[in-house]
Amino acid sequence: MVELTKKQWEAFQKLLTSPERDFLLVGGYGAGKSFLASFFVYFIAKHYPVRVLLTRTAIRDVRNTMVDYLLMHATPEERKDIEATHNGHTQTYEFPSSGARIYYLSSTDRNDQFKKILSYEFNIVWIEEANLVEQDVFEEIKKRVRVKKPVNFRKIILTTNPTGEDHWIYEYFVKQGKGEVIRFSTYDNIENLPEDYIKDLESYPESVRRIIMEGEFGIVSTSKIYRFSEKNIISKRELEELDIIEMVNSRRLYGAIDFGIKNTGVVLAYKDLYGNLIFFYERHFREMSLSQIFNELDDDLYKNFKIKTHYIKWCGDIAGSQRNLEGISAFDILRQRGIFVRAEKIDIYSSIEKVNYLLEEKRGVRYGIMVSEECKSIIRSFYEGYEIEGDKIVKLDPYQ
């Protein structure tokens, strides 16, 4: 049986009874926003024949996170029955108990997924990581929430960590006063969080804690280690002006791969004419072989940018040179695909010093390192990628 925290229960009641249609669930890290949103969707879908949309920018994350969150609340028997209804073509699940239908689709307006959204009508929409969704997309989704029969019930739920005051979410919900804002604190969910997690968040300066724990609006601008701030973030609209073909032809496209036993991360950057590195792509893979990873990468990169992995200059973790029992390393596997990875063991202190130099060195109109606003994990790594233990700097797992 699902147990909601006091704050989650209060929010659940508001979602059920408030006449407002649009809700923003905003709060600190680990505050239980997504858990509550998924439970609310599950509860309504279990009892009523509603049409529900689960969406965020990346379709793989919708299926792997939002759908999993939703099914987590079902009993083993319910889950089995629901999963048996899965239709990969329409990207739907159904609740046999009620006849509810769940659509899981991407809310990126550059792909066919978004076109599917515009062809359907819904009772309930849950937008996860809403801060990464464009306002135009949100406005189009709102138009699709218009089902009146057989259930006259409509809600749009946005879940997100705090945004800056210049973000459209702040403008819509706070400045214009539209919809209803429910703010969550990390402490609201403290009974479900480990002590060391809380202590780590509490170690940040107060100005940062107010955002990452109390859920106040604002941009985190202080890092324990790096001099990364809002000045190093580049908007999606600026990135759309990239000339990918020119980057490939001039050999200014770079990729980095972080090998792991279970988790593997890939990021892409290009070097502009001033020598600035612009990080525009990130992807995480869990429990997949290297061949599977690069097959998916090739498909994804060609679909979105019309490039292939062998167009890219690669560097990687020195761990990629380690050989398995058959004497084959990750670098060997990649070489068979025509991909050559440069790897060097760099002292962590020297690396941090070089990165900080680039973060503050302005070249032209940009700084030496710029990161797309959509590359959330890269941005997060500047604040959470390392911690200080005594007189040592310790690297953390960025995929936890």
Side-chain angles (χ1 to χ4, degrees), residues 250-266:
S250 59
R251 301 287 291 167
R252 291 191 284 115
L253 197 57
Y254 297 86
I257 181 166
D258 186 11
F259 300 99
I261 298 175
K262 290 187 176 181
N263 303 307
T264 297
V266 172

Side-chain angles (χ1 to χ4, degrees), residues 222-237:
T222 303
S223 169
K224 293 180 181 178
I225 306 242
Y226 291 109
R227 296 168 194 152
F228 182 89
S229 67
E230 192 172 358
K231 73 182 187 303
N232 301 107
I233 298 176
I234 186 169
S235 72
K236 176 184 174 182
R237 296 191 184 279

Side-chain angles (χ1 to χ4, degrees), residues 15 19 24 31 40 44 108 160 166 219 289 306 348 370 372 381:
L15 288 170
L24 175 66
F40 178 79
I44 298 297
T108 299
T160 182
D166 59 345
I219 295 292
S289 71
K306 296 296 185 282
I348 187 173
M370 301 292 296
S372 165
S381 71

Side-chain angles (χ1 to χ4, degrees), residues 8 19 92 110 132 200 257 296:
Q8 288 170 336
T92 58
R110 290 176 295 176
L132 300 181
D200 183 57
I257 181 166
E296 285 209 11

Side-chain angles (χ1 to χ4, degrees), residues 2 29-30 34 57 60 72 118 129 135 141-142 159 201 215 218 226 229 243-245 267 293-294 314 322 341:
V2 174
Y29 296 173
S34 299
T57 54
R60 60 184 179 275
M72 172 181 65
L118 300 183
E129 292 198 339
Q135 184 173 10
I141 289 176
K142 284 200 305 181
T159 50
L201 294 182
Y226 291 109
S229 67
D243 187 342
I244 299 293
I245 295 177
V267 300
I293 288 172
F294 271 78
W314 288 94
Q322 296 177 357
V341 182

Side-chain angles (χ1 to χ4, degrees), residues 55-63 65 105-108 111:
T55 187
R56 56 189 293 178
T57 54
I59 182 57
R60 60 184 179 275
D61 293 331
V62 180
R63 178 101 188 261
T65 60
L105 297 163
S106 166
S107 51
T108 299
N111 59 33

Side-chain angles (χ1 to χ4, degrees), residues 1 26 64 127 154 186 280 293 307-308 318 369 372 396 398:
M1 182 178 178
V26 61
N64 295 337
I127 306 175
R154 290 169 297 280
T186 302
F280 65 94
I293 288 172
I307 59 177
K308 289 286 189 177
I318 195 70
I369 289 179
S372 165
L396 304 176

